[in-house]
Amino acid sequence: MSTQGTAVEPPPSTVQPPDPPARPRTRSGKQPWRVVLRRDWQLYSLAVLPLLFFLIFRYLPMIGNVIAFRTFRPGGSIFGEEWVGLRYIEMFLNDPTFWNVFWNTIILGTLTLAVVFPMPIILALLLNEVRVRYFKRFVQTVSYLPHFLSIVIIAGMLMQLLSLEGTVNQIVGALGGDAIPFLQQPEWFRAVYVSSEVWQTVGWGTILYLAALTTIDPQLYEAARIDGANRWKQTWYVTLPGIRPTMIVLMILNIGTFMALGFEKILLIYNPLTYPTADVIATYLYRIGLESNNFSYAAAIGLFEAIIGLTLILSANAISRRAVGTSLW
């Protein structure tokens, strides 16, 4: 058969284009930081302002801790006048008032952690079971609102509600009881503080847990139902393990701020009558440092508090990493 006049297509080329040049890598197989920085400099530039904020307002003030070991006089050098060593540390270690304040902080911090921390988890689990969308949104909105109120407004509301002629005592009187001076009796302060913390923070804390609940694979619930698990067992064996990383991270963060309780709220609602149970390290520092102008003594106590907080967060992170395999770093 004649093939004249018929165009014959050339065979496809088997020559492959040359590979792009490989990016330089270190011995560990990772790219050098200069290459990564040059490639993603737009993303890293977003971290400049937060880093400057922490550098200026968090790390540079740490230099002032030197006055815990030096005598500071107003009007003199910001780094103190003369070296006194551990004098101020020995002073607060031998001060019975400090130890009363220290144990108040431990007790109030433990109560806050034990009561306030589980509440957002419980509320998130309950809201996750609600199928009526409008009711769920209503509950979320109502529970979120206290978080956006100023601490001053919260303290004013507590004083109005718990005064001798306030709403709570009116209810107590209607039930046949006697009015209780909640904000003047030391034994009531811890209950007032912890309950107000629950009311103020429980709604806002559910946001992270509700977001974590959306990441759980629905097929896990389906498999649990096939195995005969009821709602309680599904919550125990599927839901809680699914949000466990979020719980652990927030637990570590809460332990890190264990010693730094709500200074503003306590300062606004406590008074000399409730000092035996209400006075914590933060308020004690305020009175010693700003009211008594004993800055070196206050700096020594603040340094001691910071060391305890750092030890707690490092210990909690290490225990969490070894026990459950989840940690901040």
Side-chain angles (χ1 to χ4, degrees), residues 20-221:
R23 296 180 182 272
R25 295 182 180 272
T26 60
R27 292 182 179 180
S28 61
K30 298 180 179 180
Q31 296 181 3
W33 64 270
R34 292 184 180 87
V35 176
V36 177
L37 183 62
R38 190 181 303 112
R39 182 188 62 196
D40 301 325
W41 67 270
Q42 296 94 338
L43 296 177
Y44 286 103
S45 64
L46 298 176
V48 172
L49 289 180
L51 289 177
L52 286 176
F53 171 81
F54 282 103
L55 177 64
I56 296 173
F57 296 102
R58 292 293 186 269
Y59 287 96
L60 287 181
M62 289 183 183
I63 302 175
N65 285 326
V66 70
I67 67 174
F69 309 99
R70 300 175 65 88
T71 300
F72 177 82
R73 296 184 180 89
S77 173
I78 61 174
F79 300 112
E81 303 297 332
E82 58 184 18
W83 187 267
V84 295
L86 302 178
R87 172 187 172 187
Y88 295 109
I89 295 178
E90 294 175 354
M91 285 176 59
F92 76 74
L93 290 178
N94 297 322
D95 184 4
T97 303
F98 166 77
W99 288 110
N100 181 50
V101 169
F102 176 80
W103 288 115
N104 283 343
T105 306
I106 295 295
I107 294 172
L108 199 57
T110 303
L111 290 174
T112 303
L113 188 63
V115 177
V116 177
F117 177 75
M119 288 300 176
I121 303 174
I122 296 173
L123 181 59
L125 294 177
L126 293 176
L127 290 175
N128 191 51
E129 298 296 326
V130 175
R131 296 295 176 261
V132 181
R133 181 182 303 177
Y134 297 103
F135 178 74
K136 182 177 181 179
R137 290 180 178 178
F138 173 77
V139 174
Q140 287 178 301
T141 303
V142 171
S143 60
Y144 292 166
L145 285 177
H147 174 79
F148 298 99
L149 297 179
S150 169
I151 297 295
V152 177
I153 297 176
I154 296 291
M157 294 176 64
L158 289 175
M159 291 180 180
Q160 292 294 329
L161 292 172
L162 300 176
S163 64
L164 289 175
E165 298 180 355
T167 304
V168 175
N169 275 317
Q170 290 180 6
I171 296 175
V172 171
L175 297 176
D178 297 329
I180 302 174
F182 292 101
L183 297 179
Q184 284 76 38
Q185 293 184 353
E187 58 270 19
W188 280 102
F189 182 85
R190 290 167 182 163
V192 171
Y193 177 82
V194 173
S195 59
S196 65
E197 280 291 299
V198 172
W199 173 66
Q200 187 179 0
T201 62
V202 64
W204 185 254
T206 59
I207 294 177
L208 293 177
Y209 293 110
L210 288 174
L213 287 171
T214 61
T215 63
I216 300 177
D217 190 354
Q219 294 181 359
L220 296 176
Y221 292 104

Side-chain angles (χ1 to χ4, degrees), residues 224-274:
R225 283 193 294 267
I226 293 175
D227 291 338
N230 55 24
R231 297 302 300 177
W232 287 107
K233 291 185 177 180
Q234 292 176 34
T235 300
W236 185 260
Y237 293 106
V238 179
T239 306
L240 290 179
I243 63 174
R244 185 176 64 180
T246 303
M247 294 168 56
I248 295 299
V249 169
L250 293 179
M251 171 68 79
I252 295 173
L253 293 176
N254 287 337
I255 292 176
T257 58
F258 182 85
M259 301 294 292
L261 293 172
F263 163 73
E264 296 88 354
K265 184 187 293 184
I266 296 177
L267 184 67
L268 290 171
I269 65 176
Y270 85 150
N271 56 73
L273 295 176
T274 58

